[in-house]
Amino acid sequence: MSDSVPSDRAEPAASFRLHCPKDVRVVSTVRRFATELCRHYLHDAETASRVGVATHELLENAVKYAGADEALLDFSVTPGGADALVDVRTTNRASDENITRVERLVDLLERAELRHSYRSMLEASVTEPQRFGLGLPRVVAEAEMNLSCEAGTDDIEVGARLSGTGSDED
Amino acid sequence: MELKIERVRERYFKAKASLEEGQIVAELTGTADIPARSALQKFLGELGDEAARHAVSKVVIDLYEVEFMNSSCFKDFVTWINRAQGEDGTPNYQIHFLSSAEMHWQKRSLHALQSFAPDVVSIEVVER
Protein backbone atom coordinates (compact mmCIF):
# COMPACT_ATOMS: atom_id res chain seq x y z
CA MET A 1 0.00 0.00 0.00
CA SER A 2 1.18 3.53 -0.53
CA ASP A 3 3.05 5.38 2.19
CA SER A 4 1.55 8.54 3.58
CA VAL A 5 3.56 11.76 3.39
CA PRO A 6 4.37 13.28 6.79
CA SER A 7 2.33 16.43 7.39
CA ASP A 8 5.41 18.55 8.11
CA ARG A 9 6.92 17.68 4.73
CA ALA A 10 7.62 20.69 2.48
CA GLU A 11 5.43 21.22 -0.55
CA PRO A 12 6.81 19.93 -3.86
CA ALA A 13 8.81 22.46 -5.83
CA ALA A 14 7.35 21.01 -9.01
CA SER A 15 4.74 18.47 -9.94
CA PHE A 16 2.85 17.40 -13.01
CA ARG A 17 0.17 14.98 -14.15
CA LEU A 18 0.43 13.46 -17.58
CA HIS A 19 -2.35 11.68 -19.44
CA CYS A 20 -0.18 9.38 -21.51
CA PRO A 21 -1.56 7.97 -24.76
CA LYS A 22 -0.94 4.39 -25.84
CA ASP A 23 2.31 5.28 -27.52
CA VAL A 24 5.48 3.80 -26.02
CA ARG A 25 7.61 6.26 -27.98
CA VAL A 26 6.41 9.00 -25.63
CA VAL A 27 8.01 7.26 -22.64
CA SER A 28 11.57 8.32 -23.45
CA THR A 29 10.45 11.93 -23.92
CA VAL A 30 8.83 11.87 -20.47
CA ARG A 31 11.91 10.21 -18.93
CA ARG A 32 14.14 13.00 -20.23
CA PHE A 33 11.80 15.68 -18.88
CA ALA A 34 11.52 14.02 -15.45
CA THR A 35 15.30 13.59 -15.29
CA GLU A 36 15.95 17.23 -16.17
CA LEU A 37 13.34 18.43 -13.68
CA CYS A 38 15.08 16.49 -10.90
CA ARG A 39 18.49 17.67 -11.99
CA HIS A 40 17.22 21.27 -11.85
CA TYR A 41 15.74 21.02 -8.35
CA LEU A 42 18.04 18.49 -6.70
CA HIS A 43 21.37 19.48 -8.30
CA ASP A 44 22.37 15.84 -8.40
CA ALA A 45 22.79 14.18 -11.79
CA GLU A 46 23.14 10.70 -10.31
CA THR A 47 19.88 10.97 -8.36
CA ALA A 48 18.14 12.50 -11.36
CA SER A 49 19.25 9.53 -13.46
CA ARG A 50 17.82 7.09 -10.91
CA VAL A 51 14.49 8.90 -11.04
CA GLY A 52 14.66 8.74 -14.83
CA VAL A 53 15.06 4.95 -14.72
CA ALA A 54 12.07 4.58 -12.39
CA THR A 55 9.91 6.95 -14.43
CA HIS A 56 10.69 5.09 -17.62
CA GLU A 57 10.05 1.61 -16.23
CA LEU A 58 6.81 2.51 -14.44
CA LEU A 59 5.35 4.51 -17.32
CA GLU A 60 6.32 1.92 -19.92
CA ASN A 61 4.57 -0.80 -17.90
CA ALA A 62 1.52 1.40 -17.41
CA VAL A 63 1.23 2.18 -21.12
CA LYS A 64 1.85 -1.45 -22.07
CA TYR A 65 -0.79 -2.89 -19.75
CA ALA A 66 -3.42 -0.13 -20.07
CA GLY A 67 -4.91 -1.77 -23.13
CA ALA A 68 -6.62 0.80 -25.33
CA ASP A 69 -6.84 3.30 -22.48
CA GLU A 70 -4.45 6.06 -21.53
CA ALA A 71 -2.12 5.73 -18.55
CA LEU A 72 -1.72 8.40 -15.90
CA LEU A 73 1.59 9.64 -14.52
CA ASP A 74 1.78 11.77 -11.37
CA PHE A 75 5.21 13.17 -10.62
CA SER A 76 6.48 15.46 -7.89
CA VAL A 77 9.88 16.59 -6.66
CA THR A 78 10.57 18.19 -3.30
CA PRO A 79 14.12 19.49 -2.69
CA GLY A 80 15.74 19.33 0.73
CA GLY A 81 19.01 17.40 0.69
CA ALA A 82 18.54 14.51 3.09
CA ASP A 83 14.79 15.35 3.26
CA ALA A 84 14.31 15.53 -0.48
CA LEU A 85 11.48 13.49 -1.89
CA VAL A 86 10.58 12.36 -5.38
CA ASP A 87 7.32 10.56 -6.06
CA VAL A 88 6.55 8.81 -9.32
CA ARG A 89 3.12 7.22 -9.62
CA THR A 90 1.39 5.59 -12.53
CA THR A 91 -2.21 4.48 -12.79
CA ASN A 92 -3.59 2.25 -15.50
CA ARG A 93 -6.52 0.02 -16.19
CA ALA A 94 -5.51 -3.60 -15.59
CA SER A 95 -6.93 -7.11 -15.59
CA ASP A 96 -7.33 -9.06 -12.34
CA GLU A 97 -4.43 -11.24 -13.44
CA ASN A 98 -2.14 -8.25 -13.96
CA ILE A 99 -3.16 -6.65 -10.68
CA THR A 100 -2.40 -9.85 -8.77
CA ARG A 101 0.93 -10.29 -10.54
CA VAL A 102 2.07 -6.71 -9.79
CA GLU A 103 0.92 -6.89 -6.16
CA ARG A 104 2.89 -10.09 -5.61
CA LEU A 105 5.99 -8.72 -7.30
CA VAL A 106 5.95 -5.45 -5.35
CA ASP A 107 5.47 -7.38 -2.12
CA LEU A 108 8.40 -9.64 -3.02
CA LEU A 109 10.66 -6.74 -3.96
CA GLU A 110 9.90 -4.75 -0.86
CA ARG A 111 11.08 -7.56 1.41
CA ALA A 112 14.44 -6.35 2.64
CA GLU A 113 16.38 -9.53 1.91
CA LEU A 114 15.40 -9.48 -1.77
CA ARG A 115 16.87 -6.05 -2.30
CA HIS A 116 20.23 -7.83 -2.38
CA SER A 117 19.12 -10.61 -4.70
CA TYR A 118 19.15 -8.75 -7.99
CA ARG A 119 21.53 -11.31 -9.43
CA SER A 120 19.08 -14.15 -8.78
CA MET A 121 16.39 -12.12 -10.53
CA LEU A 122 18.63 -11.68 -13.54
CA GLU A 123 19.14 -15.46 -13.57
CA ALA A 124 15.39 -16.03 -13.30
CA SER A 125 14.82 -13.69 -16.25
CA VAL A 126 16.92 -16.10 -18.34
CA THR A 127 15.39 -19.37 -17.10
CA GLU A 128 11.81 -18.07 -17.00
CA PRO A 129 11.77 -15.25 -19.55
CA GLN A 130 7.98 -15.07 -19.89
CA ARG A 131 7.47 -14.91 -16.13
CA PHE A 132 10.17 -12.50 -15.12
CA GLY A 133 10.39 -8.92 -16.32
CA LEU A 134 13.11 -6.72 -14.90
CA GLY A 135 11.32 -3.36 -14.89
CA LEU A 136 10.19 -3.27 -11.25
CA PRO A 137 13.27 -5.13 -9.92
CA ARG A 138 15.37 -2.50 -11.64
CA VAL A 139 13.49 0.32 -9.89
CA VAL A 140 14.38 -1.22 -6.52
CA ALA A 141 17.90 -2.49 -7.25
CA GLU A 142 19.27 0.17 -9.60
CA ALA A 143 17.17 3.27 -8.93
CA GLU A 144 17.10 2.41 -5.21
CA MET A 145 13.53 3.61 -4.83
CA ASN A 146 10.78 2.15 -2.67
CA LEU A 147 7.88 0.60 -4.50
CA SER A 148 4.22 0.62 -3.51
CA CYS A 149 1.03 -0.42 -5.21
CA GLU A 150 -2.65 0.04 -4.64
CA ALA A 151 -5.27 -1.92 -6.53
CA GLY A 152 -8.66 -0.51 -7.52
CA THR A 153 -11.55 -2.49 -8.96
CA ASP A 154 -10.21 -2.41 -12.48
CA ASP A 155 -7.03 -0.37 -12.24
CA ILE A 156 -3.74 -0.31 -10.39
CA GLU A 157 -1.53 2.48 -9.08
CA VAL A 158 2.18 1.75 -8.80
CA GLY A 159 4.46 4.19 -7.03
CA ALA A 160 8.19 4.65 -6.64
CA ARG A 161 9.54 6.96 -3.97
CA LEU A 162 13.02 8.33 -3.53
CA SER A 163 13.94 9.85 -0.18
CA GLY A 164 17.05 12.00 0.23
CA THR A 165 19.76 12.88 -2.24
CA GLY A 166 23.52 12.87 -2.28
CA SER A 167 23.58 16.63 -2.66
CA ASP A 168 23.32 19.31 0.03
CA GLU A 169 23.03 22.07 -2.50
CA ASP A 170 19.33 21.89 -3.25
CA MET B 1 36.38 -12.22 -43.47
CA GLU B 2 33.25 -10.11 -43.37
CA LEU B 3 30.93 -10.12 -40.40
CA LYS B 4 27.38 -11.23 -41.09
CA ILE B 5 25.87 -8.72 -38.72
CA GLU B 6 23.30 -6.38 -40.16
CA ARG B 7 23.72 -2.75 -39.23
CA VAL B 8 20.84 -1.30 -37.19
CA ARG B 9 19.46 2.00 -38.40
CA GLU B 10 16.38 2.69 -36.30
CA ARG B 11 15.28 6.30 -35.88
CA TYR B 12 16.58 6.62 -32.32
CA PHE B 13 18.89 3.62 -32.05
CA LYS B 14 21.81 2.55 -34.16
CA ALA B 15 24.28 -0.34 -33.93
CA LYS B 16 27.13 -1.65 -36.04
CA ALA B 17 29.92 -4.17 -35.59
CA SER B 18 33.35 -4.76 -37.06
CA LEU B 19 36.10 -7.33 -36.77
CA GLU B 20 39.30 -5.76 -35.47
CA GLU B 21 42.47 -7.66 -34.59
CA GLY B 22 40.79 -10.87 -33.49
CA GLN B 23 37.96 -9.24 -31.61
CA ILE B 24 34.54 -7.94 -32.52
CA VAL B 25 33.79 -4.33 -31.70
CA ALA B 26 30.12 -3.37 -31.56
CA GLU B 27 29.18 0.28 -31.34
CA LEU B 28 25.71 1.22 -30.12
CA THR B 29 24.22 4.71 -30.02
CA GLY B 30 20.91 6.30 -29.06
CA THR B 31 18.08 4.96 -26.94
CA ALA B 32 17.52 1.22 -26.50
CA ASP B 33 13.84 0.95 -25.58
CA ILE B 34 10.72 -0.77 -26.91
CA PRO B 35 10.85 0.66 -30.45
CA ALA B 36 14.47 -0.56 -30.75
CA ARG B 37 14.07 -3.93 -29.08
CA SER B 38 13.46 -6.29 -31.97
CA ALA B 39 16.40 -4.78 -33.87
CA LEU B 40 18.63 -5.15 -30.80
CA GLN B 41 17.59 -8.77 -30.30
CA LYS B 42 18.47 -9.59 -33.89
CA PHE B 43 21.77 -7.71 -33.59
CA LEU B 44 22.78 -9.55 -30.41
CA GLY B 45 21.81 -12.90 -31.94
CA GLU B 46 24.01 -12.24 -34.97
CA LEU B 47 26.79 -10.93 -32.74
CA GLY B 48 26.81 -14.18 -30.76
CA ASP B 49 26.75 -16.28 -33.92
CA GLU B 50 29.60 -14.34 -35.49
CA ALA B 51 31.68 -14.41 -32.32
CA ALA B 52 31.40 -18.20 -32.41
CA ARG B 53 32.05 -18.47 -36.15
CA HIS B 54 35.21 -16.35 -35.94
CA ALA B 55 36.21 -17.89 -32.59
CA VAL B 56 37.06 -14.47 -31.20
CA SER B 57 38.33 -14.20 -27.64
CA LYS B 58 36.65 -10.90 -26.92
CA VAL B 59 33.60 -8.87 -27.91
CA VAL B 60 33.75 -5.16 -27.12
CA ILE B 61 30.40 -3.43 -26.62
CA ASP B 62 30.73 0.33 -26.88
CA LEU B 63 27.82 1.92 -25.01
CA TYR B 64 29.44 5.35 -24.67
CA GLU B 65 26.70 7.05 -26.66
CA VAL B 66 23.74 4.99 -25.45
CA GLU B 67 21.60 7.52 -23.63
CA PHE B 68 19.32 4.95 -22.01
CA MET B 69 18.44 1.27 -22.05
CA ASN B 70 15.10 -0.01 -20.80
CA SER B 71 14.66 -3.21 -18.81
CA SER B 72 13.54 -5.26 -21.83
CA CYS B 73 16.71 -4.46 -23.76
CA PHE B 74 18.76 -4.91 -20.58
CA LYS B 75 17.18 -8.36 -20.24
CA ASP B 76 18.28 -9.16 -23.80
CA PHE B 77 21.86 -8.40 -22.75
CA VAL B 78 21.47 -10.68 -19.72
CA THR B 79 20.30 -13.50 -22.01
CA TRP B 80 23.11 -12.87 -24.48
CA ILE B 81 25.76 -12.81 -21.74
CA ASN B 82 24.34 -16.03 -20.30
CA ARG B 83 24.82 -17.64 -23.71
CA ALA B 84 28.43 -16.46 -23.80
CA GLN B 85 29.15 -18.12 -20.46
CA GLY B 86 29.28 -21.53 -22.14
CA GLU B 87 27.54 -24.72 -21.03
CA ASP B 88 30.55 -26.15 -19.19
CA GLY B 89 31.22 -22.92 -17.35
CA THR B 90 34.10 -21.94 -19.63
CA PRO B 91 33.37 -18.59 -21.27
CA ASN B 92 33.11 -18.73 -25.05
CA TYR B 93 34.53 -15.21 -25.17
CA GLN B 94 35.02 -12.21 -22.91
CA ILE B 95 32.63 -9.29 -23.07
CA HIS B 96 34.14 -5.87 -22.48
CA PHE B 97 31.82 -2.89 -22.07
CA LEU B 98 32.95 0.65 -22.80
CA SER B 99 30.89 3.16 -20.86
CA SER B 100 30.53 6.86 -20.24
CA ALA B 101 30.66 8.41 -16.77
CA GLU B 102 28.14 10.99 -18.02
CA MET B 103 25.49 8.32 -18.64
CA HIS B 104 24.75 7.54 -15.00
CA TRP B 105 22.43 4.60 -15.68
CA GLN B 106 25.36 2.72 -17.24
CA LYS B 107 27.29 2.49 -13.98
CA ARG B 108 24.47 0.71 -12.15
CA SER B 109 23.28 -1.48 -15.00
CA LEU B 110 26.76 -2.57 -16.05
CA HIS B 111 27.67 -3.33 -12.46
CA ALA B 112 24.63 -5.62 -12.33
CA LEU B 113 25.75 -7.37 -15.54
CA GLN B 114 29.23 -7.84 -14.12
CA SER B 115 27.79 -9.29 -10.90
CA PHE B 116 25.71 -11.66 -13.03
CA ALA B 117 28.72 -12.97 -14.98
CA PRO B 118 31.95 -11.86 -13.28
CA ASP B 119 34.13 -14.27 -15.29
CA VAL B 120 32.81 -12.95 -18.59
CA VAL B 121 32.03 -9.25 -18.20
CA SER B 122 34.49 -6.41 -17.74
CA ILE B 123 33.80 -2.67 -17.75
CA GLU B 124 35.90 0.27 -18.78
CA VAL B 125 34.87 3.89 -18.29
CA VAL B 126 36.27 5.88 -21.18
CA GLU B 127 36.70 9.61 -21.79
CA ARG B 128 36.35 11.10 -25.25
Side-chain angles (χ1 to χ4, degrees), chain A residues 24-25 28 31-32 45-46 49-50 56-57 60 118-119 122-123 125-126 129 132 134-135 138 142 144, chain B residues 31 33-35 67-72 74-75 78-79 82 104-105 107-109 112-113 115-118:
Chain A
V24 291
R25 290 170 300 183
S28 277
R31 182 196 69 247
R32 291 186 193 104
E46 169 71 21
S49 171
R50 286 161 53 200
H56 191 109
E57 298 299 349
E60 195 172 85
Y118 193 32
R119 180 181 169 166
L122 300 187
E123 287 167 355
S125 79
V126 174
F132 266 92
L134 292 176
R138 197 180 193 202
E142 293 188 32
E144 294 184 55
Chain B
T31 301
D33 58 0
I34 286 183
E67 179 212 3
F68 184 77
M69 183 180 293
N70 76 347
S71 59
S72 303
F74 178 69
K75 185 174 170 179
V78 173
T79 303
N82 185 62
H104 295 279
W105 71 269
K107 181 179 165 189
R108 292 168 183 274
S109 295
L113 291 180
S115 299
F116 173 70

Side-chain angles (χ1 to χ4, degrees), chain B residues 109-128:
Chain B
S109 295
L110 292 180
H111 177 73
L113 291 180
Q114 192 172 35
S115 299
F116 173 70
D119 296 335
V120 177
V121 173
S122 57
I123 303 163
E124 181 183 353
V125 179
V126 293
E127 289 184 20
R128 288 177 184 159

Side-chain angles (χ1 to χ4, degrees), chain B residues 43-83:
Chain B
F43 184 81
L44 289 176
E46 291 172 351
L47 195 56
D49 291 344
E50 288 297 275
R53 189 167 75 92
H54 291 276
V56 297
S57 58
K58 187 194 277 188
V59 176
V60 177
I61 306 286
D62 186 345
L63 297 179
Y64 188 86
E65 291 189 33
V66 176
E67 179 212 3
F68 184 77
M69 183 180 293
N70 76 347
S71 59
S72 303
C73 293
F74 178 69
K75 185 174 170 179
D76 293 330
F77 268 97
V78 173
T79 303
W80 179 68
I81 289 167
N82 185 62
R83 189 178 157 201

Side-chain angles (χ1 to χ4, degrees), chain A residues 95-153:
Chain A
S95 66
D96 289 345
E97 185 186 348
N98 278 339
I99 289 172
T100 304
R101 190 179 55 81
V102 172
E103 282 183 318
R104 281 183 184 159
L105 185 55
V106 169
D107 182 53
L108 191 71
L109 290 167
E110 280 305 299
R111 286 184 213 162
E113 69 269 24
L114 286 175
R115 286 178 164 274
H116 304 290
S117 302
Y118 193 32
R119 180 181 169 166
S120 65
M121 290 179 197
L122 300 187
E123 287 167 355
S125 79
V126 174
T127 54
E128 302 176 83
Q130 300 307 319
R131 228 184 118 212
F132 266 92
L134 292 176
L136 294 181
R138 197 180 193 202
V139 172
V140 175
E142 293 188 32
E144 294 184 55
M145 293 175 73
N146 292 311
L147 281 176
S148 62
C149 75
E150 191 155 1
T153 48

Side-chain angles (χ1 to χ4, degrees), chain A residues 154-167:
Chain A
D154 62 353
D155 63 12
I156 188 161
E157 179 189 280
V158 180
R161 170 171 289 182
L162 181 143
S163 302
T165 73
S167 170

